[in-house]
Amino acid sequence: MVRCTSERGPEEQALLQELALQEVLAARQKSRRKGSSALRWVLPVLCAVIAGFCVWYGQRMRSFGRTQMSNAFFAFCAVYVVLAVWALPPVRDALTKAGTRIALRRQLRSSPMTDDGPIEYRFDTAGVETVSAHSQTTNDWSVYRCWGEQGHYLYLRMPTGGVSVLVDRARLSPEQEAELRGLLATLPKEET
């Protein structure tokens, strides 16, 4: 049995956020591969064509002396230019990543498991027992999808993608780390 205590301070919270973000982005990338990447460019190109039409038609209206209608078409042109830029895949991806990062940060702050209190993990052949000030849970190894390493941390990922166990290897003796890695061998290692 391997026992270790962990605290979820700012470094651990940042790591949890990064691991969750990697999972969300990997899922988005996987779903994006199913569709054509050329389709992602249809909306920006369509918006650019409509903006060009609005400029052309606005100039025509101005030449006929209809300045109000011309100004309306120039306003539509500005709207479609903004939509075209917003719909560009790199811009959309950056906005999605930023929004996901903000949502994950809020979720981690509101979670009772992210306080600075100690969390004790007990690893054995039956599974993982987690004890904190808020709860005590025991999970069989089959509950976890995979394990991975990031920096000097080991983590266990749930099937939903979340990371439920985060262990600082600096808190383990070499014997404990070897025993823990032996227990983790029953799970696949996550490729990063």
Side-chain angles (χ1 to χ4, degrees):
M1 174 184 278
V2 177
R3 296 176 95 142
C4 67
T5 304
S6 177
E7 296 205 22
R8 298 231 174 130
E11 181 183 357
E12 287 81 6
Q13 288 183 13
L15 179 61
L16 287 171
Q17 178 184 345
E18 189 60 36
L19 290 170
L21 183 63
Q22 286 173 2
E23 182 73 14
V24 169
L25 294 178
R28 282 184 50 87
Q29 194 74 6
K30 202 179 290 181
S31 69
R32 188 178 301 138
R33 281 188 213 129
K34 292 179 185 172
S36 171
S37 63
L39 289 177
R40 298 179 68 208
W41 291 92
V42 170
L43 184 61
V45 169
L46 184 64
C47 287
V49 168
I50 292 171
F53 172 78
C54 288
V55 167
W56 173 78
Y57 203 73
Q59 289 288 38
R60 265 185 80 112
M61 289 294 115
R62 187 163 296 207
S63 68
F64 292 137
R66 297 185 171 180
T67 55
Q68 286 183 334
M69 192 171 235
S70 173
N71 291 340
F73 273 97
F74 288 137
F76 285 137
C77 174
V79 168
Y80 279 105
V81 165
V82 169
L83 279 174
V85 169
W86 174 78
L88 287 170
V91 173
R92 244 190 344 225
D93 291 345
L95 291 173
T96 301
K97 191 173 183 178
T100 303
R101 200 177 287 274
I102 290 168
L104 289 171
R105 196 174 298 136
R106 280 190 194 137
Q107 182 181 2
L108 285 171
R109 280 190 197 137
S110 66
S111 173
M113 288 298 287
T114 58
D115 65 349
D116 292 333
I119 300 170
E120 183 181 357
Y121 297 114
R122 298 177 192 138
F123 302 92
D124 61 16
T125 55
V128 181
E129 184 177 359
T130 307
V131 180
S132 73
H134 302 287
S135 66
Q136 180 173 352
T137 59
T138 303
N139 291 322
D140 186 52
W141 286 109
S142 63
V143 170
Y144 301 102
R145 185 181 78 197
C146 62
W147 70 279
E149 297 181 69
Q150 181 117 1
H152 55 92
Y153 289 94
L154 296 173
Y155 60 88
L156 290 171
R157 202 177 281 280
M158 301 293 277
T160 57
V163 173
S164 66
V165 177
L166 186 64
V167 177
D168 186 355
R169 291 188 332 212
R171 294 177 178 251
L172 297 172
S173 69
E175 296 82 23
Q176 286 179 316
E177 185 175 347
E179 185 179 350
L180 179 57
R181 284 182 183 274
L183 293 169
L184 292 175
T186 60
L187 297 173
K189 185 173 180 185
E190 182 174 55
E191 300 297 323
T192 53

